[in-house]
Amino acid sequence: MHDQATRDLAATAVEPTILQATEPDGAPRIAVLDILRGIAILGILFMNINDMGGSLWASFGDFRHLGWSQADQVAWWLREVIANGTARCMLELLFGAGMVILTDRAALSVGKRVVMKRYYLRNVLLLGFGIVHLFILLWPGDILHSYAIAALAAFLFRRMRPRWLITIGLIAAVAQLGGAGYFGYYQTLQQRSQVAAITAARAAGRPVTADDRKLLAKVATGDAKRAKSKAESRAKVVAEDKARTGSFATWAAMQWSVTVTLQSRGSS
């Protein structure tokens, strides 16, 4: 009984401290945002942990290289359906909401120019943490540097009306979805259908036109590029696996190489 009473007393003493946690400026924290932020970060960990423990190049190419047992397949489907994109989007929304709340609240007490200066300094420091992740902790998939750079531009739009922010976001999302759908799926499907029609017509004795030859040459060039890309991807996976099982120096050099390649492509 005495031990139970002691534990209850300790819990009572700690609980108010948790509930009354405040920001550095004295304002109360918003618990819902903190909880959602934690869920989003755990989701991103679930998305990235296979890349942290295996070949990053394999995740861009043939992810089955990381393992394709029944458990691996279940984990992959869960990641793709539940976490991939969802957690990232949630964290991006919370990052923007946090920026608006933080800067508006601070502007009331210190003024807009000071807020801008402090917020930019805050994100320069965030950029520094991201660079440490990239080149010291050897994690090419770091997103802190991306968030920091994006925040420097997003800050300028924080006072825009919500309807315009939503409109711009929807237009960008539809453009990305439409562009990826057309160039990544529909165009290829259409070309395959046209090639099949040309092949069938040729078999039936119809002569090949100049447009047909141009299309066949275009498809052949695309196939050659994809085959070359796949071969290069397989070579990168082999090199990454070899570096991983070597010394720290070989692994660090490989991770730096991956980081530089991804950054040059704007992939991170």
Side-chain angles (χ1 to χ4, degrees), residues 86-105:
T86 305
R88 187 187 302 113
C89 179
M90 184 185 298
L91 191 61
E92 289 169 355
L93 289 172
L94 292 169
F95 188 82
M99 175 189 70
V100 172
I101 294 171
L102 176 66
T103 55
D104 279 2
R105 190 171 62 207

Side-chain angles (χ1 to χ4, degrees), residues 35 113 212 231:
I35 293 170
R113 289 185 177 277
D212 291 342

Side-chain angles (χ1 to χ4, degrees), residues 120-137 142 144-146 148-149:
Y120 270 60
L121 176 59
R122 177 190 181 113
N123 282 283
V124 168
L125 292 175
L126 184 64
L127 176 62
F129 280 114
I131 292 174
V132 169
H133 287 176
L134 289 169
F135 296 103
I136 305 300
L137 300 182
D142 171 78
L144 295 185
H145 70 288
S146 302
I149 294 173

Side-chain angles (χ1 to χ4, degrees), residues 2-228:
H2 177 71
D3 292 340
Q4 182 62 42
T6 302
R7 285 194 293 269
D8 292 343
L9 181 60
T12 303
V14 172
E15 185 177 5
T17 303
I18 297 174
L19 294 176
Q20 296 174 9
T22 59
E23 292 282 9
D25 62 358
R29 294 189 64 86
I30 302 176
V32 172
L33 293 183
D34 287 339
I35 293 170
L36 290 176
R37 190 178 294 112
I39 293 172
I41 291 174
L42 288 175
I44 289 177
L45 174 62
F46 184 43
M47 287 167 49
N48 291 339
I49 198 167
N50 60 307
D51 298 331
M52 295 174 178
S55 170
L56 191 63
W57 286 124
S59 67
F60 295 143
D62 187 359
F63 49 79
R64 293 172 298 182
H65 176 76
L66 305 174
W68 201 238
S69 65
Q70 189 64 41
D72 293 324
Q73 294 179 45
V74 171
W76 185 82
W77 280 107
L78 286 174
R79 188 187 77 158
E80 291 300 301
V81 173
I82 297 175
N84 199 4
T86 305
R88 187 187 302 113
C89 179
M90 184 185 298
L91 191 61
E92 289 169 355
L93 289 172
L94 292 169
F95 188 82
M99 175 189 70
V100 172
I101 294 171
L102 176 66
T103 55
D104 279 2
R105 190 171 62 207
L108 294 175
S109 59
V110 297
K112 295 180 180 180
R113 289 185 177 277
V114 176
V115 167
M116 184 174 185
K117 179 180 178 181
R118 289 181 181 178
Y119 191 73
Y120 270 60
L121 176 59
R122 177 190 181 113
N123 282 283
V124 168
L125 292 175
L126 184 64
L127 176 62
F129 280 114
I131 292 174
V132 169
H133 287 176
L134 289 169
F135 296 103
I136 305 300
L137 300 182
L138 306 179
W139 172 227
D142 171 78
I143 60 170
L144 295 185
H145 70 288
S146 302
Y147 275 63
I149 294 173
L152 300 181
F155 178 86
L156 303 177
F157 298 89
R158 75 192 190 287
R159 302 304 301 166
M160 186 176 288
R161 292 181 178 276
R163 70 166 71 96
W164 285 110
L165 293 174
I166 293 173
T167 300
I168 293 172
L170 289 176
I171 290 174
V174 171
Q176 183 182 34
L177 180 62
Y182 178 76
F183 292 106
Y185 178 74
Y186 177 75
Q187 188 181 57
T188 301
L189 190 65
Q190 186 181 43
Q191 287 181 348
R192 295 302 178 190
S193 176
Q194 291 173 335
V195 169
I198 293 172
T199 302
R202 178 188 289 173
R206 182 176 70 81
V208 178
T209 66
D211 289 339
D212 291 342
R213 286 192 294 271
K214 184 183 295 186
L215 176 63
L216 292 173
K218 181 179 179 181
V219 172
T221 300
D223 289 343
K225 288 181 178 179
R226 280 188 290 272
K228 180 180 178 181

